Amino acid sequence: MTATEPWLPIFGYGGHIKATTQELIIARGSNTRRYPIQAVKHLLIVGGHTLHTSAVTNLLKAGAAITIFDIDGTPVGYLYPYGYRPDGAVRLSQERAGPHRFAQPLARAALQSRLLLIEELYTHTGHDIFYAGELDFLHQAREELSASVTMENLRRLSRLTADMYYEILSRALPPELGFRRRTSRPYLDPVNAMFSLGYAMLYGNCCVSVVGAHLDPDLGMLHEGAGSFIHDLIEPQKASMVDRTVIRFAREEIKSGDYECSEKRCYLGSDISARLAAALRDSIDQDRIDAQVRIVRDALLANAEFHVLYW
């Protein structure tokens, strides 16, 4: 087996990572994977694993970098070969890129993915979840995003349609859960808490790929500020990778004993959190995330076509 990308992520817990001069070996229980060591340019270790010094030594000798992340996907440290320099050309291209070229298709794909999910939900619920004119407005906004020439308008429409999307979702969920819209911390209802868990997992998976590709997580196109580039890339993925799973849990799985809400905060129980995290690990598609990061990288470095994978 060869690495599908120059960066190779190892997620979760319990892996044993070692290497010979010829191959990297990753064992977890009865499952063992082997990679030609020259094919691994950047090993990304997420969570808790046993890292043998043989892996460190042979990877560094082969010119590979190693980045360590905590379980949430936040980078905590690096190991570089002597004389190693990260690929500065990637970051420089990212700094110089015109944001509109990337922001427009990202914003449109985010809205399109949300439209697909709420239309799917409408079909399954059997009752109208739209107020008069809402669906027409969202379709019109999608066309306006395609024609928008200013970053200000792209960001305004992105925020507006995202807010509308969550309000529409709320009408398809049990009212006793108390979800009305997407809010910021502290979360006062279990649905917002479940969304938060899912988006944190998606953010972590995407951050791993972005760091592996030598892109800067903080140099966003559509979003601004810390982690803005990660938010750019996960926005079109939320509906299919996180929201569909959270909605299923909210409609079918969560019970009153699975969470505890007070005036200050809502806490998810350990059992529902574990079951939701397991379901999200299945729904978050790392291959698609890696492919999207590669598309961005190629567009920045080689002026290749940029398009968004979102469904």
Side-chain angles (χ1 to χ4, degrees):
M1 174 181 285
T2 59
T4 57
E5 307 291 346
W7 59 92
L8 175 64
I10 310 299
F11 290 95
Y13 292 97
H16 294 269
I17 306 166
K18 57 185 178 180
T20 68
T21 56
Q22 300 298 316
E23 62 182 3
L24 177 68
I25 304 160
I26 301 168
R28 197 184 324 233
S30 60
N31 182 28
T32 300
R33 296 185 177 184
R34 300 172 183 269
Y35 302 88
I37 204 158
Q38 294 298 329
V40 181
K41 304 303 181 186
H42 198 162
L43 180 68
L44 303 118
I45 303 171
V46 189
H49 306 276
T50 301
L51 178 62
H52 292 250
T53 54
S54 64
V56 175
T57 301
N58 286 305
L59 282 167
L60 294 178
K61 283 183 176 179
I66 303 169
T67 301
I68 312 295
F69 299 77
D70 66 17
I71 192 60
D72 295 322
T74 302
V76 296
Y78 306 87
L79 291 169
Y80 291 149
Y82 184 76
Y84 176 90
R85 296 290 183 273
D87 191 345
V90 181
R91 191 182 190 285
L92 185 61
S93 296
Q94 191 179 357
E95 285 180 344
R96 293 177 174 176
H100 189 276
R101 176 193 174 196
F102 297 89
Q104 186 178 54
L106 286 164
R108 191 178 190 279
L111 176 52
Q112 178 63 16
S113 66
R114 287 166 172 155
L115 279 168
L116 288 169
L117 183 59
I118 57 178
E119 288 171 356
E120 176 185 288
L121 189 59
Y122 169 67
T123 301
H124 290 163
T125 57
H127 66 272
D128 198 345
I129 58 175
F130 301 107
Y131 290 157
E134 277 184 328
L135 189 56
D136 288 340
F137 177 85
L138 290 173
H139 282 287
Q140 181 181 346
R142 180 181 59 188
E143 301 311 310
E144 189 175 342
L145 283 170
S146 299
S148 181
V149 296
T150 68
M151 291 299 302
E152 180 183 1
N153 198 45
L154 282 175
R155 290 174 177 140
R156 179 186 64 82
L157 277 174
S158 295
R159 290 191 297 268
L160 175 61
T161 54
D163 289 343
M164 287 183 64
Y165 162 77
Y166 288 110
E167 290 180 11
I168 292 168
L169 286 187
S170 73
R171 300 168 205 152
L173 301 180
E176 61 268 21
L177 294 178
F179 177 72
R180 300 292 178 266
R181 62 187 61 84
R182 182 74 177 132
T183 62
S184 57
R185 286 187 174 90
Y187 304 115
L188 301 179
D189 65 87
V191 179
N192 265 302
M194 289 193 290
F195 277 132
S196 178
L197 173 61
Y199 295 156
M201 291 177 64
L202 180 59
Y203 183 100
N205 283 54
C206 188
C207 184
V208 169
S209 293
V210 164
V211 171
H214 298 282
L215 291 157
D216 190 327
D218 300 329
L219 285 178
M221 308 293 187
L222 180 61
H223 294 82
E224 298 175 294
S228 53
F229 190 61
I230 310 297
H231 289 293
D232 284 352
L233 297 182
I234 68 173
E235 204 69 17
Q237 311 303 334
K238 287 179 176 179
S240 63
M241 293 194 190
V242 174
D243 297 357
R244 184 190 279 122
T245 298
V246 169
I247 290 165
R248 177 173 63 81
F249 267 70
R251 288 171 58 86
E252 302 174 8
E253 303 234 2
I254 197 166
K255 303 293 187 295
S256 59
D258 289 328
Y259 60 92
E260 182 178 344
C261 294
S262 68
E263 293 182 358
K264 295 184 177 180
R265 186 169 181 175
C266 187
Y267 295 91
L268 296 176
S270 58
D271 180 67
I272 191 72
S273 296
R275 287 191 286 118
L276 177 59
L280 289 165
R281 279 192 288 271
D282 290 335
S283 65
I284 293 175
D285 186 344
Q286 188 64 39
D287 288 341
R288 190 203 294 174
I289 294 170
D290 286 341
Q292 185 65 71
V293 170
R294 187 177 66 246
I295 289 167
V296 175
R297 195 175 189 273
D298 290 347
L300 289 168
L301 289 177
N303 202 29
E305 176 192 358
F306 176 68
H307 60 281
V308 183
L309 310 173
Y310 61 87
W311 198 255

